[in-house]
Each structure stands twice: as structure tokens, then as C-alpha cells.
Amino acid sequence: MSGVASSLAKKRALAAGFGTNANAVRYLNQDFSALRAQCLSSGRLFTDPLFPAAPEALGFKDLGRNSYKVRGVTWKRPTELVSNPEFIVGGATRTDICQGALGDCWLLAAIASLTLNEYVMARVVPPDQSFSDGYAGIFHFQFWQFGEWVDVVVDDRLPVKDDELLFVHSAEGREFWSALLEKAYAKVNGCYEALSGGSTTEGFEDFTGGIAENYDLRQPPSNLFHIIRKALEAGALLGCSIDITSAADSEAVTRQKLVKGHAYSLTGAVEVDYRGQREKLVRMRNPWGQVEWTGAWSDGSSEWNYVQGDCPNANAEDGEFWMSFNDFLRHWSRIEVCTLTPDAIGDDSVKHWSVNNYDGTWRRGSTAGGCRNNPYTFWTNPQFVIRLDEQDDDPDDGEDGCSFVVGLIQKNRRKLRKQGEDMHTIGFAIYEVPQQFQGQREVHLDKNFFLSHAQTARSETFINLREVCSRFKLPPGEYLIVPSTFEPHLNGDFCIRVFSEKQNDTQPCDDPVGAELDDELVPDEEVDAGFRGLFQKLAGADMQISAAELRTILNKIVGKRSDIKTDGFSMETCRVMVNLMDDSGNGKLGLGEFATMWKKIQKYLSIYKTNDLDGSGSMSTPEMRVAFKDAGFTLNNTIYQLLVARYADPDMTIDFDNFVGCLIRLETMFRMFQKLDQHSSGTIELNFEQWLNFTML
């Protein structure tokens, strides 16, 4: 139940404006300013109790406590390593980022690109930090995490081996912003080892809140150089890599000194006059800070002698180099381009895209329906509607339509590596919304729709990356986006984002929460003689049936049936049933109340058997959602997830007694709310004592 409260509290905080870069959420509720003030007043350097300088912060397997790789590792502050440490020297530059003993080149390539945009850099690395004024051993950084910005506090104790930083470091040696940034990012993801292996797009997005697209350079679009130049001009971040074909290829160096399976930053694109012709060049950066391309246009190569006019020549062995665009296409496998959100772009002349962002969850047995290969459960996945009204201006490809990019991100999967989990295989499908459903948001399309309608578009592939992202161009209209894992019944949290060239309206599409409750109370005088005689026999001398007596009665009845599965009605369920019908408040059922309850149970039995489609005697959880509607209840995904988690068995079925108990509790809650909401406003107000009275029922 505390998880439900936390989820509601988070939604309210976002609605109140928390989670923007200007008002970031305090990660783990740590307040940088307050903590620094406490340290300064006490004269003590900050030590972070929530990410201690301990083996667990390094890793769990290759960097685990017993790994030979961490032998001799100690933790030291920069003031213990050099005599005059600096946070940033002369501004953050690409040469401040040199890779250490961690396979996070993907992250460092993203950090290198980050330094090219001062406005974005200042959002991630707050500039008012140093090792002199106000130094207290504490620093903070801000990252975008699945729809919100978080402010992450770290102490400046860094892992060291042989008096050298174990992980990222600056070429200059006394500059520490990049090492501290890496530590803060490791804290968000659980440990340093969780950062090993990944896609540059992940870092791009967490530093900007933007959305990253991936281009296969074996089949590049004809205008790719134009896309790259426009992206760099707009402040986008770009990364690229060379695919490996075997484990032996990983970080293998080619004859011309390119590193396979290694993430590079693309930091520049120009055209120069070379021997009377225009030559397209791109600038690359290796996060190692060394090992550079030795082919045409490399540092000091002869091509530079024949350039007329401005010349961007580079000669330093700093990991940065130029190469021709044709060689780039020939040697590299893919390029990733991260388009920034409007709030990440300080230049008003840049054309902003429209952005929509929503959170969602997949839960086993309720909203984790798997891909289209699972027609029986696919419809249970969360659903989102996008409305596209305006077509693109001056489309590059000459085709009319509405361009948009859909990104599906699975949350917090790196953090779960310690528990042996990793990325799910994810993707999404897009459907055109039929005319009869257009303009509606309070409808969750059911199995029949997906069995009779083909998808209009889909993600390029289902893949086990943090994010699946695809670009589309469709005619104006309304479209349904259904995100899913490939296999059904996998738990996960996600956020889905839609970036579009023109304004779009994206909304969750879900059933409303409501109930059609019959006023079906049976008066005492209308109870027939046969039932009255049965009641007198069951109730005893006091002519009342208690929860304990009700349990005995029901279990005798259902115990004789072979067509329904049940473990027997529990005391808790019987108490809820009595509470619903007990108008007198004595905790027992009179004749009319018992007759009404009996009528309900008969109705629920009929619904249960109707929706037990395979005649197994129990209902599956997808059948359960349909059965709720038959009983008069419409429920959204969030409530359905809670009910499945509470009432379903581990094999994702629900037996008869739990089905009845669930419906009785639902009816009780609806009737209580309706009685208190006398003006049908949809809102009630309770003090704490009243809240306890109702929740303890």
C-alpha cells in the first residue's frame, strides 16, 4: 500500500512543477545546499551515507568485493591526490574525459558531446562548485531520469589504485568534474559496474531529456550529412560506433587505428575546398584521449596542404581527429543523434519540436500483455492516443505527412543488474483509431479490436535496449500506440515520449473508473417462505448471521461443487461481505440482508462461469477484467493492476471465493464514496479519524 501512496505523491509533485531542470527532484531526498551548509558549519567534509565509499559502490560481479580487479583500491578525495585540485579548468572541454578501467565509453562519448553545448552542460554540471570557495567535500549534478530531472549529491571520495583514479579522469590531471559526474551517475544506477556496456543514446538522453535516433550507416539516408550538420547547429549530441562480429573484436584496433565496439563522439561537420572541389569532413573524438585515425585527413596528413580558405586542421594527439565523410560511411556502422527538448535549447532561432511524455507500467497478469504474437493478452497492454493535425513544412523527402518520433524507455533496468536482471526486449505497435473511437480518451480497446485491425506502423524491431526509438510520417489523424515487452507477463516500468515537428496531442487511453450499482436490497417481507425457513435454520436463535456463520454456510455450499475452483471463503472476505450489507452496524446479517447477499453471490457465480472460457473452474486474469465489466465495474489500468496483485494466484488465475471477495470490496468502496459525495462532485473530504474508520473496514 505504501507503493500506491508513493506513486500518488510523485504524480502530485510533477503536477506541482517538480521534476523540471529548474526545480529538480532531490535524489534520495538529499538537499545539496542544506548538506553543504551543515558541513561548513561543523567543519567536517561530507561523507555520503547513501552511496558510501565501499566495495558495494564499485560493483557486484567483475568489480565485486572478491574480484581481483578491485584489489588495492582505496578511496581518496582530490585534495589527497594533487596539491591544487580544480573542479573545472578553463571551461569543460572534450579533453577532460579520458576512459579508465570501466567499460563505459558510451557514457564518456556522451559527456564529450555534452561539453560542446555550454547551456546544456550548465544544466547537468551546476557551475557554482569548486575546491576553494565553499568547499565541503560535497558536489551535485542533475540528470534526466525517465521524465523528470533529479539532483544527485555525492561526496568527492573517488576510487583510486596506485594513486591514480580508477575510472574517468582528465588528461590534465588536476581537474575532477568528469570523475565526480561519473560517480553521481553511478549512484543513480546503483554502482559503477552497472555503467559497463551501453549505448551513447542513453547518456545523451540522461544529460538533456532529449530523444535519440539511430541510423544504420550500411543504409544511410541520402541527406545524412545535412542531418548531421543541422543537428550540430541545433545543439544536438551525436555518437557513433563500429559493430563487432565476435567477442574477440571488442575494442580491437583496426589497421587505421579505429576501435571496434567502442563509442566515439561526432563533434563537427564542415565542407572545405580541396583541390578545387568541395570535400565533406566530420570530426570524431575517442574518449580514450588517444588512439586516432591514421587515414586521409588524420592529424598532420598531406590532405591538409591542399585546402583553400579556412582550415579546421588538428594535430594534437588528444583523441580528436578529422576524416572524410565518405570514409566515415565506409568504416562506421551506426550513428546516434539526440534531438533536444525546447527547454534544453537556449537559442530561440532553433526550430523546436513538440514533446509529450507519459509514464506507464507492465505488470504480470494485468497489463503485461506481450507483443502481437500473443493475441489473447496483447490488448491488456497500456494504450496511448496521438492526434496529428498539421503536416510538415517543406518536407525533405517531398512527401506530405506528419513527422513524429516515438521513444519507449524501460526504467531502472541497470539498477536491477545486482538482482540478476537486465533489459527486457521491448517495442511498440501503432494503429489507426477507427472513426467511432476518435476524440475519445476514456476507452481501453479490447481483444476484438486487435483481432480485426492490422497495425499501421511499428517500432523497427523489438530489442533488449533501454530504449526503442523510431521515426514515422503518417497522414493527419488519430493513432493508437501500444508499448509492450516481447514476451507477456514481465514486470517493468516505462515512459513513452512523442516528439513531433508540429504540435501533437498525446494522451493515455484508458477505461474510466465507474460502477453501475443496482439498488437490489430485498425487503424482509418479500423473502419467500422457503428461503425464510432456510434462514431460520442457519441463523439460529438470534435470527442473525455473523461473518463466522456466513463462512461456514458458503464453504459447505461451494465445497460440493466441482465446476468452480476455490480454497474456501476466508474470514476476511466474509467480514467484507457482512460490512457491505450490514446497515444496522451490529456486524451481522438479518433476513433481508442475507437474501440480498445470496442474490449477489448467485449473480457473481453466473458471471464467473460465463467468463471461465476454457471451463477450467477458474478465471485467468484477462478474463477477470472482462468479468468486472459484466458485473458493472469499469476500472483503469492502475486499479486493475492492484486488484490482480492482491486477489490473483501466482499462476495468474483467480478462484471463485477471491473473485467474490474482490467484487464485494469494490462495491463497498464505491457505495461508501457515493454516499459521502452527496453533490456528485467526484471529490470527498475526510479528517484523519474518518479516514481510519473507513480504511479499517
Side-chain angles (χ1 to χ4, degrees):
M1 189 59 73
S2 61
V4 178
S6 297
S7 178
L8 288 173
K10 181 178 178 180
K11 287 180 180 178
R12 289 180 178 179
L14 289 172
F18 291 97
T20 62
N21 183 253
N23 195 8
V25 174
R26 296 169 188 160
Y27 186 67
L28 301 179
N29 206 30
Q30 289 179 299
D31 185 328
F32 169 73
S33 297
L35 290 170
R36 182 168 66 172
Q38 289 171 13
C39 292
L40 291 172
S41 65
S42 67
R44 294 181 179 177
L45 296 179
F46 178 63
T47 57
D48 187 356
L50 301 183
F51 194 58
E56 290 70 28
L58 293 176
F60 49 90
K61 187 179 178 183
D62 290 343
L63 295 177
R65 180 184 291 271
N66 298 318
S67 170
Y68 74 92
K69 293 183 180 180
V70 301
R71 288 176 193 160
V73 171
T74 59
W75 297 77
K76 292 187 178 182
R77 298 184 190 269
T79 51
E80 300 173 273
L81 292 171
V82 297
S83 58
N84 186 26
E86 297 280 356
F87 186 61
I88 294 180
V89 177
T93 63
R94 300 179 297 283
T95 58
D96 297 342
I97 304 119
C98 299
Q99 189 173 356
L102 187 63
D104 63 348
C105 58
W106 62 274
L107 173 62
L108 308 189
I111 298 174
S113 293
L114 179 67
T115 64
L116 299 176
N117 187 317
E118 290 184 9
Y119 181 76
V120 174
M121 178 76 184
R123 286 160 42 113
V124 176
V125 186
D128 59 338
Q129 307 183 80
S130 76
F131 287 94
S132 52
D133 296 337
Y135 171 68
I138 183 172
F139 293 85
H140 70 131
F141 301 86
Q142 295 196 352
F143 305 120
W144 182 88
Q145 289 287 282
F146 318 116
E148 66 179 11
W149 285 86
V150 295
D151 189 83
V152 184
V153 167
V154 289
D155 63 35
D156 63 348
R157 295 177 295 173
L158 296 167
V160 171
K161 195 170 186 178
D162 300 325
D163 279 334
E164 298 284 343
L165 288 178
L166 187 61
F167 302 129
V168 72
H169 54 278
S170 68
E172 200 271 342
R174 63 188 185 95
E175 192 170 11
F176 289 92
W177 72 268
S178 57
L180 292 166
L181 171 65
E182 182 187 44
K183 180 175 182 179
Y185 199 63
K187 179 177 178 177
V188 165
N189 286 282
C191 63
Y192 277 96
E193 188 175 351
L195 305 183
S196 183
S199 166
T200 306
T201 58
E202 197 171 330
F204 283 168
E205 295 185 342
D206 287 351
F207 297 150
T208 67
I211 195 165
E213 298 173 74
N214 194 308
Y215 292 95
D216 185 344
L217 297 181
R218 291 170 298 184
Q219 298 175 314
S222 58
N223 60 340
L224 180 60
F225 188 77
H226 175 74
I227 290 173
I228 291 172
R229 288 191 66 172
K230 295 294 287 184
L232 289 168
E233 289 169 6
L237 307 183
L238 294 87
C240 48
S241 60
I242 303 171
D243 287 348
I244 60 175
T245 55
S246 68
D249 264 357
S250 182
E251 298 199 337
V253 180
T254 69
R255 185 168 54 86
Q256 292 174 306
K257 296 299 177 76
L258 298 178
V259 186
K260 293 184 177 182
H262 187 62
Y264 287 71
S265 309
L266 194 156
T267 60
V270 298
E271 284 191 84
V272 297
D273 287 318
Y274 171 66
R275 294 183 182 272
Q277 294 184 327
R278 299 292 286 170
E279 181 78 25
K280 295 183 176 71
L281 304 178
V282 291
R283 184 177 63 203
M284 314 294 297
R285 165 141 180 88
N286 181 349
W288 285 351
Q290 54 189 350
V291 185
E292 296 185 7
W293 162 253
T294 58
W297 299 99
S298 59
D299 291 0
S301 68
S302 61
E303 284 80 9
W304 296 108
N305 299 328
Y306 301 98
V307 174
Q308 290 85 44
D310 291 337
C311 176
N313 189 11
N315 285 299
E317 178 68 20
D318 56 3
E320 193 162 73
F321 54 88
W322 292 89
M323 65 193 308
S324 75
F325 184 61
N326 286 334
D327 277 338
F328 170 74
L329 293 177
R330 188 176 303 117
H331 289 278
W332 255 265
S333 305
R334 63 191 67 258
I335 182 171
E336 298 149 334
V337 180
C338 182
T339 301
L340 303 186
T341 55
D343 67 328
I345 303 173
D347 185 355
D348 290 336
S349 67
V350 173
K351 189 173 183 180
H352 298 163
W353 279 42
S354 171
V355 184
N356 283 283
N357 181 91
Y358 287 96
D359 290 328
T361 56
W362 295 300
R363 289 293 178 267
R364 185 174 185 268
S366 55
T367 55
C371 70
R372 274 182 60 92
N373 295 346
N374 306 277
Y376 183 65
T377 56
F378 177 73
W379 68 277
T380 64
N381 285 302
Q383 301 172 10
F384 300 84
V385 168
I386 174 174
R387 192 181 77 239
L388 304 169
D389 292 328
E390 295 183 70
Q391 300 193 76
D392 300 346
D393 296 327
D394 304 320
D396 286 341
D397 55 12
E399 293 183 12
D400 291 334
C402 307
S403 292
F404 63 102
V405 178
V406 178
L408 171 64
I409 302 179
Q410 49 185 323
K411 295 184 179 181
N412 301 315
R413 301 306 298 180
R414 284 188 180 275
K415 223 180 248 186
L416 295 172
R417 285 183 176 179
K418 284 185 177 181
Q419 284 80 53
E421 295 200 35
D422 214 323
M423 301 291 177
H424 290 321
T425 300
I426 60 170
F428 56 86
I430 299 177
Y431 296 81
E432 187 171 0
V433 176
Q435 187 68 40
Q436 67 267 32
F437 293 118
Q438 289 186 11
Q440 299 182 44
R441 297 296 176 266
E442 290 197 331
V443 58
H444 185 97
L445 294 179
D446 62 16
K447 178 176 65 177
N448 295 327
F449 169 80
F450 295 103
L451 289 175
S452 58
H453 290 78
Q455 60 190 11
T456 302
R458 60 180 176 85
S459 53
E460 290 182 16
T461 182
F462 274 74
I463 194 167
N464 60 338
L465 293 177
R466 184 178 83 155
E467 180 176 38
V468 170
C469 179
S470 297
R471 180 183 289 255
F472 305 96
K473 179 177 282 190
L474 295 174
E478 286 193 11
Y479 298 91
L480 186 76
I481 304 173
V482 184
S484 73
T485 55
F486 184 75
E487 298 289 342
H489 310 313
L490 296 176
N491 291 326
D493 300 323
F494 67 85
C495 73
I496 190 161
R497 297 183 295 160
V498 179
F499 281 55
S500 60
E501 184 170 315
K502 294 289 189 175
Q503 193 71 27
N504 79 79
D505 176 36
T506 307
Q507 298 286 338
C509 188
D510 205 353
D511 286 329
V513 177
E516 296 178 4
L517 302 177
D518 297 330
D519 189 11
E520 53 187 16
L521 184 63
V522 179
D524 287 5
E525 58 272 15
E526 292 185 11
V527 178
D528 64 58
F531 193 89
R532 188 182 298 269
L534 175 64
F535 177 78
Q536 290 171 344
K537 183 178 178 181
L538 296 172
D542 66 351
M543 292 297 288
Q544 300 278 330
I545 290 180
S546 67
E549 290 170 329
L550 179 63
R551 182 187 184 197
T552 301
I553 294 166
L554 293 177
N555 286 340
K556 278 186 178 179
I557 294 170
V558 297
K560 296 176 181 177
R561 301 191 65 127
S562 59
D563 57 340
I564 55 174
K565 288 185 179 178
T566 175
D567 295 327
F569 284 81
S570 67
M571 274 301 298
E572 179 188 3
T573 297
C574 291
R575 286 193 183 105
V576 172
M577 295 168 77
V578 170
N579 287 338
L580 174 64
M581 304 308 307
D582 176 25
D583 280 339
S584 64
N586 67 354
K588 295 184 177 182
L589 299 179
L591 174 61
E593 293 166 338
F594 182 69
T596 304
M597 175 59 67
W598 190 256
K599 185 177 177 182
K600 261 185 214 306
I601 293 172
Q602 296 290 85
K603 172 185 172 183
Y604 293 160
L605 177 61
S606 174
I607 292 170
Y608 186 84
K609 288 182 64 62
T610 299
N611 286 283
D612 174 17
L613 299 180
D614 61 359
S616 63
S618 62
M619 273 194 303
S620 69
T621 48
E623 292 169 344
M624 175 177 163
R625 186 163 189 165
V626 177
F628 285 156
K629 284 194 173 183
D630 291 347
F633 297 96
T634 56
L635 306 173
N636 62 21
N637 285 338
T638 302
I639 295 175
Y640 181 55
Q641 286 174 352
L642 289 172
L643 296 181
V644 168
R646 176 160 186 173
Y647 290 97
D649 290 328
D651 63 354
M652 292 173 292
T653 63
I654 183 168
D655 58 16
F656 181 63
D657 56 285
N658 279 318
F659 178 66
V660 172
C662 182
L663 287 174
I664 292 292
R665 185 175 288 274
L666 270 176
E667 182 173 345
T668 302
M669 301 307 293
F670 271 101
R671 288 195 184 278
M672 283 168 46
F673 190 93
Q674 290 173 357
K675 189 170 287 188
L676 292 168
D677 183 18
Q678 296 179 355
H679 302 292
S680 301
S681 65
T683 303
I684 61 173
E685 184 175 321
L686 302 174
N687 63 32
F688 187 62
E689 181 183 347
Q690 292 167 334
W691 165 254
L692 281 179
N693 279 327
F694 287 117
T695 56
M696 294 304 292
L697 282 176

